[in-house]
Amino acid sequence: MNPGAVGQAIGLFAVTNIDDILVLALFFARGAGDRRAVPRIVAGQYVGFVGIVTVAVAAASGAALLPESAIAYLGLLPLALGLRAARRSLAERGDRAAATTGDPAGPDPDDEAGGEEQDRDASRRGPAALEVAAVTFANGGDNLGVYVPVFTAVGAGGTAVHAVVFLVLVGVWCAAGWFLATRPPVARALSRWGHVLLPLALVAIGLTILVEGGAFGL
């Protein structure tokens, strides 16, 4: 494997995905306490990034799967997920506020059933793999604009090298995001503000993609 091509692929990945580390840290922080969240987040990141590479390879081969004008509308995915996360956060805060008021009448079967449902929901509070994949893919609209000409220039062999290096670095990026989310100072900050930062980050990503791509005439 050509060391020069490997170095180029590492630099290209780092430059185009530096913002993903923060998003991954927020996802890992959201999944704290859910032991199945980590594999779901990693799987979602891989699925989303494989989608980006697949589209880039297809476009570089002259078989583009997405017209250029459609890429901007990928911003609707993180925007919708951000609004959904904000709504969920507000609902959880409302539930916690209601729980602190107490119930002098004592428990009843309906409340117990609702508590069991909330327990099941709590066990699934980490993000779903498809949710992470959708954000990763949508956030990769800018990546396509960089990867397609590079893949076209380096040919099939160089593209294969880039793809292998990218897939290795996705794992490194996931580890970096998990590391940040589990550092005590960062973890405390994300635990306190993550329910606000994640929706804001997703909405900001979505709006940036929409505006920079000129979607809806913006």
Side-chain angles (χ1 to χ4, degrees):
M1 188 175 288
N2 188 339
V6 172
Q8 180 186 27
I10 291 173
L12 185 64
F13 182 92
V15 168
T16 55
N17 293 282
I18 191 66
D19 56 330
D20 278 352
I21 292 180
L22 174 59
V23 176
L24 280 168
L26 291 169
F27 275 132
F28 283 120
R30 177 175 150 194
D34 180 358
R35 65 180 181 273
R36 293 174 294 180
V38 171
R40 288 202 305 268
I41 294 168
V42 173
Q45 183 74 3
Y46 267 102
V47 169
F49 202 83
V50 166
I52 293 170
V53 173
T54 300
V55 172
V57 170
S61 303
L65 300 180
L66 287 175
E68 185 176 352
S69 59
I71 292 176
Y73 293 94
L74 291 175
L76 293 173
L77 286 173
L79 179 61
L81 290 171
L83 294 175
R84 177 188 175 194
R87 185 183 67 179
R88 181 185 302 168
S89 177
L90 289 173
E92 290 174 352
R93 289 185 64 187
D95 291 342
R96 286 195 296 268
T100 58
T101 61
D103 186 359
D108 58 55
D110 289 337
D111 287 340
E112 291 178 0
E116 291 175 0
E117 184 176 350
Q118 288 178 356
D119 289 340
R120 288 194 296 270
D121 289 341
S123 69
R124 299 193 300 266
R125 64 178 175 271
L130 288 179
E131 180 180 348
V132 178
V135 172
T136 301
F137 185 78
N139 198 29
D142 290 342
N143 297 35
L144 293 175
V146 178
Y147 295 167
V148 171
V150 171
F151 289 174
T152 301
V154 300
T159 297
V161 170
H162 278 71
V164 170
V165 172
F166 285 178
L167 293 179
V168 171
L169 290 177
V170 167
V172 174
W173 247 235
C174 289
W178 175 85
F179 179 83
L180 284 176
T182 54
R183 296 311 89 194
V186 178
R188 283 194 296 269
L190 292 179
S191 175
R192 183 174 182 180
W193 299 107
H195 67 285
V196 175
L197 293 176
L198 180 60
L200 286 178
L202 296 180
V203 169
I205 289 171
L207 291 177
T208 299
I209 295 171
L210 290 169
V211 172
E212 289 186 352
F216 305 112
L218 298 174

